[in-house]
């Protein structure tokens, strides 16, 4: 009889342990997802690309990505060419910061926002095709801060499209109305700067470029600080018709 009770007791203990192990197995979730077809990418369930762990020079971001997260590619010095798929709507803060060898990046028309310092110190990035869906370009300071070789913005827009460009100013600085020069009729017009100060006290000047016709031109920005020192930066603008 004692042996029978002992067997029953052992059976109950094993059953309890089995149930607990099943429960433990079920309640431990995976915080991040990796794909067998894209092992170098960590993408969450909402389609946010959290990080990249590859060493390839040429990267095509998977089609299931909806946004590129904070510092997703930060410090990837091997990166040279990136293709972002249609469907991605935003490029996060410092997403490509420190990618010092990045030369080319294809941004689709689905992208509406490029966050602060997204391309911080991408030293070799010299030209960028900006989609017409982008609601604002942060130039000089902001999205492309530290891109010392960035000289050309290629914009694919229709006639009459408006392109806001944001320039961050140092304390007490002012900005003259930018000038657009071209070799033929005006391909675009630019407004006088509209000033804005955010919650942390950073002042920005926002100018709006309105496309008139396809062509090439140059925008000259002139900022004057409190000591009356002038800082001039120039940006080549290429407007191409939507095919």
């Amino acid at each position: 009889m004692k042996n029978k009770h002992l067997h029953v007791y052992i059976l109950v203990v094993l059953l309890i342990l089995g149930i607990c192990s099943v429960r433990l197995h079920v309640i431990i979730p995976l915080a991040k997802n990796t794909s067998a077809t894209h092992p170098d990418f960590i993408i969450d369930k909402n389609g946010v690309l959290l990080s990249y762990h590859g060493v390839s020079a040429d990267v095509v971001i998977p089609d299931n990505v909806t946004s590129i997260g904070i510092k997703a590619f930060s410090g990837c010095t091997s990166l040279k060419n990136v293709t972002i798929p249609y469907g991605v709507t935003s490029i996060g803060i410092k997403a490509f910061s420190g990618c010092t060898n990045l030369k080319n990046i294809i941004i689709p028309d689905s992208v509406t926002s490029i966050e602060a310092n997204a391309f911080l110190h991408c030293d070799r990035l010299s030209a960028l095709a900006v989609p017409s869906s982008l609601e604002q370009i942060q130039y000089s300071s902001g999205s492309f801060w530290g891109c010392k070789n960035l000289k050309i913005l290629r914009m694919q827009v229709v006639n009459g499209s408006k392109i806001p460009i944001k320039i961050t100013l140092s304390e007490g600085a002012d900005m003259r109305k930018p000038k657009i020069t071209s070799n033929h009729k005006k391909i675009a017009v630019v407004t006088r700067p509209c000033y804005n100060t955010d919650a942390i006290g950073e002042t920005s000047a926002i100018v709006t470029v309105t496309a008139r016709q396809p062509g090439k031109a140059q925008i000259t920005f002139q900022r004057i600080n409190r000591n009356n020192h002038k800082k001039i930066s120039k940006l080549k603008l290429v407007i191409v018709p939507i095919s």
Side-chain angles (χ1 to χ4, degrees), residues 14-156:
L14 290 174
L15 184 61
I16 292 172
L17 290 174
I19 292 172
C20 289
S21 65
V22 170
R23 286 179 177 174
L24 286 173
H25 178 72
V26 170
I27 63 172
I28 298 175
L30 289 173
K32 300 172 183 178
N33 297 322
T34 57
S35 168
T37 55
H38 304 291
D40 293 333
F41 299 91
I42 294 180
I43 305 166
D44 74 7
K45 63 181 180 180
N46 296 316
V48 179
L49 198 167
L50 301 176
S51 60
Y52 170 74
H53 299 286
V55 293
S56 177
D58 303 311
V59 170
V60 178
I61 294 174
D63 289 338
N64 61 326
V65 171
T66 57
S67 65
I68 300 172
I70 298 172
K71 294 185 176 181
F73 290 88
S74 182
C76 292
T77 55
S78 61
L79 201 61
K80 292 183 178 180
N81 305 291
V82 176
T83 300
I84 301 175
Y86 187 87
V88 171
T89 58
S90 65
I91 300 174
I93 297 171
K94 294 187 177 181
F96 293 92
S97 64
C99 295
T100 52
N101 289 306
L102 180 62
K103 290 182 178 180
N104 303 295
I105 183 164
I106 297 175
I107 302 176
D109 283 339
S110 56
V111 172
T112 58
S113 67
I114 299 177
E115 301 298 332
N117 297 322
F119 297 95
L120 178 69
H121 295 307
C122 290
D123 297 339
R124 302 190 70 181
L125 189 64
S126 60
L128 188 73
V130 178
S132 57
S133 56
L134 194 63
E135 294 175 355
Q136 182 172 272
I137 299 167
Q138 294 194 44
Y139 174 68
S140 178
S141 186
S143 303
F144 306 103
W145 178 253
C147 297
K148 58 186 179 183
N149 290 313
L150 182 61
K151 300 297 181 184
I152 300 174
L153 285 181
R154 184 180 297 274
M155 303 174 182
Q156 191 173 36

Side-chain angles (χ1 to χ4, degrees), residues 169-175 201 203 223-231:
L169 301 173
S170 59
E171 185 178 354
D174 196 2
M175 195 176 90
T203 300
R223 286 164 285 174
I224 303 174
N225 66 19
R226 59 169 59 185
N227 296 320
N228 206 33
H229 291 156
K230 297 179 181 179
K231 183 177 181 181

